[in-house]
Structure formats: structure tokens, C-alpha cells
């Protein structure tokens, strides 16, 4: 297991669009273990491979307080919006440390993904899990939480993070 370095906004590498995983082999299993370790260390509830500068479509999630339900989703896709009614949630991001932004997303979606055995799964998700999985899929597409903010606000966040992450 290894701790990986998380890219911080405005790192341009966070804008890379991740490629689908073709072969789910031992190296993907190892990578997902390292991602979970990195997520738990950062006290996050989700992490996308993009954030650790690996541009493959892999996300890890654990929304339990006890950190007992690690989930690995490979090639995740939103297939259907089940409940289009948008819910506002104050989102945080390990790549934008110290900032929280209220974002609106469909409250329930159907997601398909492969697990570490390569098996395809389809699930209807809602609540916090749905917020986090939509947030992580955005990362795989090069999108970040701050994108919907005004330029002024984005600039303020960028300046603050440039100051605190110099030399890291
Ligand atoms: O740890 C995280 N918390 C969180 C809270 C609300 C909505 C989304 C998230 S994901 C975030 C970790 C992260 O940056 N994942 O990409
Ligand atoms: Ni994030």
C-alpha cells in the first residue's frame, strides 16, 4: 500500500479526461487499494484517479463514518436520471482543500460500473452516495467543484490555494 499525492486546484492535470480501463488486472487492484488509503488519510469520502494524476476511469468511495464500506467503481457511467429534482449539497473536495460550495445535482441516478472482478453492475443511488459518485465522475471528465462559481470567486480560491500549496 502507498499514499499518493493529491493534485490541488488549479493544477492543469485535473483537467485531463480519463480513459476507460480495458484490463482489470492486479495493477488496478493495487491502484484502488492505494487510492482508498489516500482517501482515508485525507478524511475524504470519495476519490477519483484523476486526483492522483492517473487518468483512468476509476473511483473509490466510502461514505460510512466507520470507514468500513470501501467501494471501487471502474468505468462508472450515469445511465439514467431517476429523480431529476435537484438537491443542494455543500460539497468539499480534497483537490480544493478548505472550501465548501453548494452544488445542485439530480437527487437520484442509475449508475453502471465494473467491479474489481470485471463484473458489470447497475445500481440506483440517491442521497450522499449519489452526490459523491456524481462528484467523482465529474473529476474523471476533468470537471471540478469550482467550475460553476463566478470568476471572481474562482480567482479568490486559486490565489489562496497557490499561497498555501507553494513548494508542496
Ligand atoms: O471528501 C469529500 N467529501 C465530499 C462531500 C460532499 C460532496 C462530495 C464530496 S467528495 C470529497 C472527496 C473528493 O474530493 N472527491 O473527489
Ligand atoms: Ni473532489
Amino acid at each position: 500500500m502507498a499514499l499518493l499525492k493529491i493534485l490541488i486546484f488549479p493544477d492543469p492535470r485535473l483537467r485531463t479526461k480519463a480513459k476507460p480501463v480495458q484490463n482489470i488486472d492486479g495493477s488496478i487492484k493495487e491502484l484502488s487499494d492505494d487510492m482508498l488509503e489516500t482517501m482515508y488519510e485525507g478524511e475524504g469520502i470519495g476519490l477519483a484517479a484523476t486526483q492522483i494524476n492517473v487518468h483512468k476511469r476509476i473511483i473509490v468511495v466510502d461514505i460510512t463514518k466507520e470507514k468500513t464500506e470501501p467501494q471501487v467503481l471502474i468505468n462508472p457511467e450515469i445511465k439514467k436520471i431517476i429523480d431529476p429534482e435537484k438537491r443542494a449539497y455543500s460539497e468539499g473536495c480534497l483537490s480544493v482543500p478548505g472550501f465548501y460550495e453548494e452544488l445542485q445535482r439530480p437527487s437520484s441516478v442509475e449508475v453502471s460500473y465494473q467491479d474489481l472482478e470485471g463484473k458489470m453492475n447497475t445500481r440506483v443511488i440517491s442521497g450522499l452516495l449519489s452526490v459523491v459518485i456524481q462528484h467523482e465522475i465529474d473529476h474523471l471528465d476533468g470537471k471540478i467543484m469550482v467550475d460553476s462559481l463566478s470568476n471572481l470567486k474562482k480567482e479568490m480560491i486559486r490565489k489562496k490555494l497557490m499561497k498555501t500549496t507553494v513548494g508542496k
Side-chain angles (χ1 to χ4, degrees), residues 54-163:
V54 172
H55 303 289
K56 297 180 180 167
R57 303 191 77 83
I58 306 169
I59 69 179
V60 297
V61 184
D62 187 342
I63 58 164
T64 66
K65 275 203 190 74
E66 304 77 23
K67 308 182 172 187
T68 48
E69 280 175 42
Q71 305 188 52
V72 178
L73 286 73
I74 299 167
N75 301 325
E77 278 179 40
I78 306 294
K79 286 300 199 189
K80 222 188 272 173
I81 301 201
I82 302 291
D83 183 353
E85 193 180 329
K86 298 232 170 125
R87 288 284 167 78
Y89 198 93
S90 176
E91 302 192 15
C93 183
L94 292 171
S95 295
V96 193
F99 294 89
Y100 294 86
E101 293 301 336
E102 189 142 297
L103 260 68
Q104 310 243 2
R105 300 183 188 273
S107 64
S108 178
V109 296
E110 183 180 275
V111 64
S112 74
Y113 61 94
Q114 285 168 277
D115 59 26
L116 281 170
E117 275 72 56
K119 186 176 147 264
M120 278 293 296
N121 295 267
T122 304
R123 281 161 65 187
V124 171
I125 51 173
S126 56
L128 180 58
L129 186 62
S130 158
V131 174
V132 177
I133 288 178
Q134 292 180 67
H135 173 117
E136 303 313 337
I137 293 176
D138 276 356
H139 277 302
L140 299 181
D141 292 325
K143 294 183 205 147
I144 321 178
M145 203 180 82
V146 299
D147 292 351
S148 55
L149 303 181
S150 69
N151 284 332
L152 188 70
K153 211 160 177 188
K154 242 184 289 194
E155 190 60 10
M156 189 268 297
I157 294 175
R158 189 185 66 78
K159 281 191 182 140
K160 283 199 180 153
L161 288 177
M162 297 274 276
K163 254 186 220 153

Side-chain angles (χ1 to χ4, degrees), residues 16-23 25 27-28 31 35 47-59 73-76 136 139-141:
T16 315
K17 188 167 162 67
K19 297 218 164 73
V21 176
Q22 305 285 3
N23 284 317
D25 56 18
S27 74
I28 298 294
L31 180 64
M35 284 173 63
L47 189 75
T50 309
Q51 292 176 279
I52 47 122
N53 201 29
V54 172
H55 303 289
K56 297 180 180 167
R57 303 191 77 83
I58 306 169
I59 69 179
L73 286 73
I74 299 167
N75 301 325
E136 303 313 337
H139 277 302
L140 299 181
D141 292 325

